[in-house]
Amino acid sequence: MIEHKKGILVIVSGFSGAGKGTVVHAMMDKFPGRYKLSVSATTREPRSGEKDGVNYFFVTREKFEKMIADGELLEYAEYVGNYYGTPRRFVEEQMDAGYNVILEIEQQGAFKVKKAFPDAVLIFLTPPSIDELERRLRGRHSESEETIQKRLAQAAIEAENIELYDYLVINDDIDGCAVSMDRLIESVQKKTRYNQERIDDLRAHLQHYRKDN
Ligand code: 5GP
């Protein structure tokens, strides 16, 4: 029986403040070896505690534009005045090695990736309420009121496209949410269309039992 299987591309989007980063990191901790997280490049300034190469690759606009020109990005988008993009090589290598790769990206990028990889699974993560969203954004204490208002305005626009995602997951409790995301991905992996190699293998082994050839 063949064991090699290509990983699934999992795209997690959600309003800024939905807790995507926290949930995704909880998934990495709880299920070691099942997921690889893509680290994006961005032109935004690091928040306190963020590390280059861990949270993001923090780059200048010039460097980002060179990455675009050199075809190094799988997708990119401009969000609240900054560029964000997914380095292509890491994603392709890890999927080929059989890992499920998680992209934590905003909508424009999510839909671009879905076009290039129709099998990608699109998950939209939301806090339990908009009051809670505002509380989380203000609780960060790292952003000005103007930026918070911009992020809420952006959320209002993003809410228009939620139906284009495959799944809606509510982040009311980090650990519970991480487990339900993992279960969701596990059941997606059982879809026949993700298991063509195995199906072909079963057929090949049964071929000589056929009475009709
Ligand atoms: P933040 O500044 O809060 O870290 O991220 C702002 C938004 O950019 C979030 O919605 C985040 O998911 C998104 N984002 C992060 N990396 C990427 C990326 O590589 N591509 C795209 N399209 N969006 C990204």
Side-chain angles (χ1 to χ4, degrees):
M1 199 56 84
I2 28 155
E3 285 308 326
H4 177 73
K5 207 159 110 193
K6 228 178 153 184
I8 291 188
L9 191 52
V10 180
I11 301 171
V12 182
S13 302
F15 309 127
S16 175
K20 297 170 298 238
T22 319
V23 168
V24 164
H25 280 100
M27 287 171 75
M28 309 286 294
D29 288 348
K30 279 183 181 300
F31 309 102
R34 245 172 83 68
Y35 300 102
K36 293 280 177 176
L37 179 59
S38 159
V39 177
S40 298
T42 184
T43 58
R44 93 150 156 69
E45 292 294 315
R47 295 192 189 114
S48 77
E50 283 186 334
K51 288 201 182 78
D52 186 44
V54 177
N55 304 88
Y56 282 105
F57 295 107
F58 294 100
V59 299
T60 60
R61 275 188 99 79
E62 292 68 42
K63 165 79 179 153
F64 197 101
E65 280 164 4
K66 185 164 185 326
M67 291 171 87
I68 300 173
D70 292 347
E72 287 178 31
L73 300 175
L74 193 62
E75 62 73 38
Y76 68 94
E78 229 173 328
Y79 181 90
V80 197
N82 283 300
Y83 278 132
Y84 294 82
T86 306
R88 176 190 301 280
R89 181 139 48 107
F90 177 86
V91 173
E92 292 177 348
E93 282 175 1
Q94 299 302 322
M95 281 173 66
D96 284 345
Y99 290 104
N100 302 312
V101 177
I102 303 184
L103 307 186
E104 190 226 301
I105 64 178
E106 56 62 73
Q107 292 191 343
Q108 305 163 57
F111 302 141
K112 280 187 220 160
V113 175
K114 183 76 177 179
K115 259 200 183 141
F117 294 84
D119 280 346
V121 178
L122 262 61
I123 300 177
F124 195 86
L125 195 67
T126 176
S129 70
I130 298 306
D131 279 353
E132 175 63 18
L133 178 69
E134 278 205 59
R135 246 194 311 280
R136 289 183 193 175
L137 283 173
R138 291 186 203 288
R140 277 179 182 170
H141 300 302
S142 58
E143 272 149 12
S144 64
E145 182 58 29
E146 192 197 344
T147 304
I148 291 172
Q149 290 299 328
K150 275 193 197 161
R151 287 177 185 265
L152 288 167
Q154 185 68 31
I157 296 169
E158 289 173 358
E160 294 299 312
N161 293 322
I162 298 176
E163 290 92 335
L164 298 178
Y165 285 77
D166 298 311
Y167 298 96
L168 178 71
V169 174
I170 296 172
N171 177 19
D172 44 7
D173 148 71
I174 294 159
D175 284 345
C177 188
V179 170
S180 75
M181 297 257 283
D182 179 66
R183 291 208 181 119
L184 174 62
I185 293 159
E186 204 177 11
S187 52
V188 168
Q189 279 177 309
K190 292 187 179 125
K191 284 191 176 188
T192 49
R193 68 191 170 98
Y194 289 105
N195 289 281
Q196 196 57 52
E197 274 186 61
R198 191 173 292 272
I199 295 167
D200 290 345
D201 186 59
L202 291 170
R203 279 199 191 118
H205 280 84
L206 287 168
Q207 187 60 30
H208 68 277
Y209 293 109
R210 283 179 71 142
K211 304 254 184 276
D212 56 347
N213 59 10

